[in-house]
Amino acid sequence: MHAQVSMLSMIFMAVSGTIALMIPLALIIFFRRRKGADLISAGIGAAVMILFAFVLESGVHKLVAQSPLHEPIGENFIAYGIYGGVMAALFEEVGRYLAMRFLMKKQWNNPSNALMYGAGHGGIEAIVLLTITMINNLAYSFMINRGIMEGLIQKLPQTAQVQMQEAVQKLIMSPAPVFLLGAVERISAISLQICLSVFVWLAVTRREKKYFILAFGLHFLFDTLAVLVNHWMGTVVTEIILLLAVITVVLLTARLWKRVKRRMSVL
């Protein structure tokens, strides 16, 4: 009998992918009904993530991969972490700033649109990176368990065969709880994206550069630390540390948000 993906692993894949889909939808509904935020803010956030991260940033990564910089960056995890952190912060925060500055002027009257933007920005990222990935993993798992994956792999080019065989082995050998870590990561990421959106919103509407610098710095710090801590301590410890750090940022952001809104109500 050929090796199979455990049923528990497949259940956790489905749970993880569903969480990544439902949390953004729940947040968008909440911000719309309870805060009166505009749906277009979430749409703009999603569009900026797709354009600036998945298209423009990915394009730069492909250019770097074909340049002399590829080896020194790829072979040194510290350089790789710093490079990834800078690129993510640069493209996403600049995109966030430009969107709020020029596309969302009609939404400036309601500060909750900052939260809605963050839900769209982080939500589409979660759906693309986790929900779609877990759907693919489930499809592969069904094919593995039914014994048809091996035949499909043999029809692929040699390089693709090696990559697919590695993916198959990872699905088979990974402990089931590993597939839930993606959900934890996305919860942290969406929460952080909302906080970063608040900071950039304040930078735009209050014209205070310090908030943009704060958003850029935090984005860089979290992305870089994710690479470094994962290298030193592994995935589980990394997700725990990042979750605790994000909770701290959320609490501090909430205090700042309440103080700013209180000042606005007085004015």
Side-chain angles (χ1 to χ4, degrees), residues 66-86:
Q66 298 170 358
S67 75
L69 293 172
H70 174 64
E71 288 190 8
I73 292 176
E75 294 176 359
N76 185 316
F77 74 93
I78 295 178
Y80 179 75
I82 293 172
Y83 163 77
V86 169

Side-chain angles (χ1 to χ4, degrees), residues 10-225:
M10 295 172 70
I11 291 172
F12 285 168
M13 290 176 202
V15 170
S16 192
T18 301
I19 288 174
L21 175 64
M22 296 307 297
I23 287 181
L25 293 178
L27 287 172
I28 289 171
I29 292 171
F30 176 80
F31 293 146
R32 175 59 182 165
R33 292 184 176 179
R34 296 295 185 90
K35 305 293 183 179
D38 299 320
L39 289 175
I40 193 173
S41 300
I44 292 173
V48 168
M49 170 60 78
I50 292 171
L51 176 59
F52 280 82
F54 296 148
V55 177
L56 298 179
E57 184 186 345
S58 294
V60 172
H61 291 326
K62 290 177 182 178
L63 292 175
V64 171
Q66 298 170 358
S67 75
L69 293 172
H70 174 64
E71 288 190 8
I73 292 176
E75 294 176 359
N76 185 316
F77 74 93
I78 295 178
Y80 179 75
I82 293 172
Y83 163 77
V86 169
M87 289 296 102
L90 177 64
F91 281 93
E92 289 187 46
E93 299 316 316
V94 169
R96 200 186 317 257
Y97 180 89
L98 292 175
M100 292 183 176
R101 175 68 178 84
F102 298 106
L103 300 180
M104 296 180 64
K105 287 184 178 180
K106 293 182 179 180
Q107 282 71 49
W108 286 4
N109 63 319
N110 185 353
S112 294
N113 282 312
L115 309 178
M116 183 68 94
Y117 177 99
H121 192 106
I124 195 66
E125 181 183 39
I127 292 169
V128 171
L129 296 184
L130 188 57
T131 301
I132 294 176
T133 297
M134 289 303 160
I135 290 173
N136 289 335
N137 285 346
L138 282 169
Y140 290 153
S141 297
F142 280 116
M143 288 189 284
I144 292 168
N145 291 354
R146 297 185 68 176
I148 62 177
M149 178 60 85
E150 187 174 346
L152 294 175
I153 291 177
Q154 292 176 355
K155 297 178 182 179
L156 298 173
Q158 186 63 39
T159 304
Q161 283 188 27
V162 174
Q163 294 175 343
M164 186 59 72
Q165 286 169 348
E166 291 177 353
V168 167
Q169 285 301 309
K170 188 174 182 179
L171 288 174
I172 294 172
M173 301 302 295
S174 295
V178 166
F179 296 103
L180 291 177
L181 288 177
V184 176
E185 179 191 19
R186 286 303 105 195
I187 290 171
S188 297
I190 293 172
S191 300
L192 182 62
Q193 290 287 11
I194 291 175
C195 292
L196 297 177
S197 297
V198 167
F199 297 142
V200 176
W201 178 271
L202 293 174
V204 170
T205 59
R206 296 173 64 87
R207 301 186 184 278
E208 295 188 44
K209 295 180 180 179
K210 65 181 181 182
Y211 291 116
F212 179 81
I213 295 172
L214 178 59
F216 188 100
L218 282 174
H219 201 146
F220 165 76
L221 181 63
F222 272 86
D223 277 43
T224 301
L225 281 179

